[in-house]
Amino acid sequence: MLTLYHNAPKQTRALDAIRKLKAYFERQGINEKEPLPNMQKIVDYCLKYPRLLRIRDSPLKYLHDPDLPYTVVHDWYIGIALDYLETSIFVLLEQWKSDYMKKRTDKKQIAQLFAKAVNDIYQCYEHTGLALSIPFPEGCALAAVELKEKVRNGSRALIKSKITYYFTDARNTFYTLTMHRIEALFKANQPSSSFAYLFSPHIMKFSGEELETKVQVFLDVLLPKLVDVFNLPDDILDNALNCEDVNDQDNAVDMNSWLMSTSSEDEDKSNDSKEALEAHIQTFSTVCEQLNNLNLTPNWTEILKEAVQKRLQSIDWEESADVSIVQIQLKWLHVLILPWLSHLIPKTDNIDTNWYNFLREKIKAEHVLYEVIYQAKIPEIFDIVLNYPDTECIIKDLHIIATKRGLLEDLRDSLMREIQSRLLHPGASAVDILQYHIDCIRSVSVIDPSCDIMESIIELIEHYLKTFRKDVTAGVVHLIRNAREYSNLQVKDDDIYVFKKSELNNEETPVDAVVVKEDKPAQLRRLQQKSKDSIAMLISACSSLKDFIKGYSDQLGHTLLSTSNYDTSEEILRLELLKRNFPPDTFLRCDIMLQDVADSRRLDTSVHLNNGVNPNVHAIIVSRKYWPGGNDEDEEDDLDDDYDMEDASNASIKLWPGQQESLEEYDQEFRKIKKSRKLKFLPTKGSIRLNLEFQSRTLTVDVSPEAATILSLFEGKEQTYSRNDIVTKVKVDKAVIVECLEFWMKMEVLELSADGHYQLIEE
């Protein structure tokens, strides 16, 4: 039964002290049979006469001599105290373990057994110090303050060394069960929403509604730099409590949204009365005080983490996407967990000290909640960003959590890993990547308004796009031209970012120039402004602004060439909206193409005043060097030269039967209007409207000249052609042929036979 105490073998020091004391008594002529009592005898005396503790009547009457060495007396007393405690604890824990194993499935019984065991252990702990309250004379070794401290420390260390897993498990069960008892008491007092009565009176510097308001104030905002958020000084806590701007805005959260049942609670349902619940909470407060004195306070943050995790597991995240999980769980924590916390924390006789200590633990509890929610949602960060703005509430929650917990860099790294593995690969289309890019910018700007973590994310995506993808410009043009279909591309007038001429021209700084580098804050301010404009961020993903301008202009030209009614109002609106992001005259080429269409409309109207011209033939007269396939060099627009906007492979395309005659008629009428000009038709440009009549259906479709020419080869089902046959007859690039054939197959006009020949599906 002999163990260690005070960093030395108890057996050696205690026995040595006994030997020295006996020798001293012999020299003093003390012949009493047992001048050195054991601890049981001392305890029995102190318990028998608790109010009449006198030296002359006590078993310690021979040990008050000031001449006795302090060390010898202390070693003897500590030895018998720990012997007594060790024997008592062994018996208590063995009996408790036996009872625990019988009742381990009944949490209520376990809690009762645990409370009784703690009380018994604490009584044994107090017994070891009872004799030291006897009024020994000054200078006596037993009156020394350090002896009391040694006995307390040695007793605590001994008790802690005897604690088993079963005791720890029962302790956690007891603490968790009390959470549910507090919630049950709160529910029992409904419909009242007051909860001040749940708090320990030892921390209640305030009462009633004032207390309820104070405990729901956020104390970890607007803090000075370089302060430990978990150890804030009293004055900072007072300032935070009196600051109206940091009040908890979730006070209006509906009670039904946070007062939910958990699986643990369902297991522990009982029909306890209010009195029984109040008695349990009082017992909990007493047990916590005893455990605190024994240095056996559990890690309550782990118990709270487990409780929060169970609550989060019971949440239907899809149905809760439009509410703030942080606000709901904070309300639960403030109303039901903080009272629990007020009972379990160590306390002093000073209520002010207890109050401020409670506030510090309150901050810690809130951060435990933040951490658990963060760890639950961070694995889903990619999908959360992907589904923005439907996940706006979760994004705002992550802003609160990551900012307060200092997790912005961790969130950035987690998101970048997900983007790298799930998005930046050849299987993802440029449009999909660009859409996610914009959603990412919008959501990250909410999480981190400073845009500090956004820089690295943008660099990652843009580096991939500019290095490994050739379809970025086409994707950007597609998204911007269809911006009205995407909610994330709507930009407020005040948020429009205008590119500078230096960005447009990609100007390089001369070698001998004095460069004033933009500092980090200035870069972030510019990014904050630019990130509000989704269109500008999309354009920046292109390899250069010139590439985007050329890509947009080419796409506009192809679209205008395919128009059938000269209607450019939609394109003019798109272009004017886009011009807001650029210096004047950036899209001069687009303006000229639009003007060409407007002029062509007037000329076409004049041509068709002659009823002899085919009413189905319309022309767009183009300014050669500004349209797709034209010459970009600055030279005069001479329609008499031999320049042809078509590729050589498309120059000899076979036209639709009868088409050549209609074009010649149109040209002759045009020369009458413009006597000094003549038309040079481009067979591969524009579009053709076909009215196709089959046995079972009629199909009207606008197609390219190449597609129309290919279909003209098939006059009946008996005609079949291979791909090479069609290339030979139509004399068009093979890639264009393949694209047109796929179009007709998609329209269920042509089909491909097993021998590689195409034919009509029906007459």
Side-chain angles (χ1 to χ4, degrees), residues 53-71:
L53 296 179
R54 299 176 182 176
I55 299 175
R56 66 174 182 269
D57 300 325
S58 74
L60 301 172
K61 57 187 176 183
Y62 298 113
L63 294 166
H64 68 278
D65 189 345
D67 293 334
L68 285 173
Y70 273 40
T71 304

Side-chain angles (χ1 to χ4, degrees), residues 163-207:
I163 296 304
T164 64
Y165 162 78
Y166 301 107
F167 186 90
T168 303
D169 183 64
R171 181 181 61 187
N172 292 344
T173 299
F174 180 67
Y175 275 70
T176 303
L177 182 64
T178 304
M179 279 188 187
H180 303 316
R181 290 292 181 264
I182 291 175
E183 183 170 348
L185 181 58
F186 178 78
K187 289 181 177 179
N189 283 289
Q190 287 182 334
S192 172
S193 60
S194 175
F195 60 95
Y197 62 91
L198 297 172
F199 286 85
S200 168
H202 299 293
I203 64 98
M204 292 177 64
K205 184 177 180 180
F206 305 94
S207 60

Side-chain angles (χ1 to χ4, degrees), residues 559-574:
T559 302
L560 293 177
L561 288 173
S562 301
T563 185
S564 59
N565 55 5
Y566 300 100
D567 184 8
T568 60
S569 57
E570 189 77 16
E571 295 299 337
I572 292 174
L573 177 60
R574 286 195 183 105

Side-chain angles (χ1 to χ4, degrees), residues 130-158:
L130 285 176
L132 301 181
S133 60
I134 296 175
F136 293 104
E138 186 176 353
C140 174
L142 293 175
V145 176
E146 58 266 28
L147 175 59
K148 296 180 181 179
E149 192 64 29
K150 289 177 181 179
V151 172
R152 282 196 294 265
N153 292 338
S155 299
R156 291 167 182 165
L158 175 63

Side-chain angles (χ1 to χ4, degrees), residues 390-423:
D390 293 339
T391 55
E392 183 177 7
C393 285
I394 300 177
I395 290 292
K396 290 181 178 179
D397 286 346
L398 289 175
H399 160 66
I400 295 172
I401 294 170
T403 302
K404 291 191 175 185
R405 292 290 298 140
L407 294 169
L408 287 173
E409 292 185 359
D410 181 82
L411 185 147
R412 176 200 63 197
D413 295 342
S414 298
L415 180 56
M416 290 176 66
R417 284 193 298 269
E418 291 293 307
I419 290 174
Q420 188 77 53
S421 62
R422 296 180 58 180
L423 184 68

Side-chain angles (χ1 to χ4, degrees), residues 30 168-169 328 350 368-369 378 438 478 486 557 607 683 712 722:
I30 300 174
T168 303
D169 183 64
I328 290 174
N350 188 317
V368 169
L369 178 70
I378 198 62
I438 296 303
H478 169 78
Y486 302 96
V607 168
S712 69
S722 67

